[in-house]
Amino acid sequence: GVAHPLAGWTTRSIPLRAWYKGYEYAALLRPSGLIRFNGTTYDSPSAAAYAVRKRATNGWWMWHVKHKGEWTRLRELRAKKPM
């Protein structure tokens, strides 16, 4: 199968958050690297972000993960694989 960009980031499902037009959106990052949002599974952060904004969106910028107690953009942690 295809290696997902977030595969191996975490050994358990962890919450993701995005904020858009005053609303908070919650998703779940699975160990496989897939993202579950609003009942659908997406294979990249940008695909899940598109589901929120209904247009092409950089999901690495939009989605946040809790890192050291703070919501941090995925792109800031992309090279570190922190979980």
Side-chain angles (χ1 to χ4, degrees):
V2 174
H4 298 291
L6 291 168
W9 265 41
T10 178
T11 55
R12 58 187 170 78
S13 292
I14 56 171
L16 297 177
R17 292 290 181 274
W19 292 269
Y20 179 60
K21 291 194 173 179
Y23 293 94
E24 180 179 271
Y25 296 87
L28 206 57
L29 171 60
R30 295 185 168 160
S32 64
L34 297 174
I35 295 171
R36 184 85 174 161
F37 170 68
N38 205 23
T40 302
T41 302
Y42 298 92
D43 62 4
S44 74
S46 295
Y50 183 95
V52 172
R53 297 188 66 208
K54 307 297 187 241
R55 63 191 197 113
T57 301
N58 183 340
W60 292 95
W61 180 84
M62 185 167 185
W63 292 106
H64 295 67
V65 65
K66 196 155 255 190
H67 179 64
K68 297 182 180 175
E70 300 286 333
W71 288 108
T72 305
R73 293 186 195 282
L74 282 179
R75 85 167 173 199
E76 294 177 27
L77 302 174
R78 192 173 190 174
K80 299 177 187 173
K81 295 193 177 185
M83 277 58 83

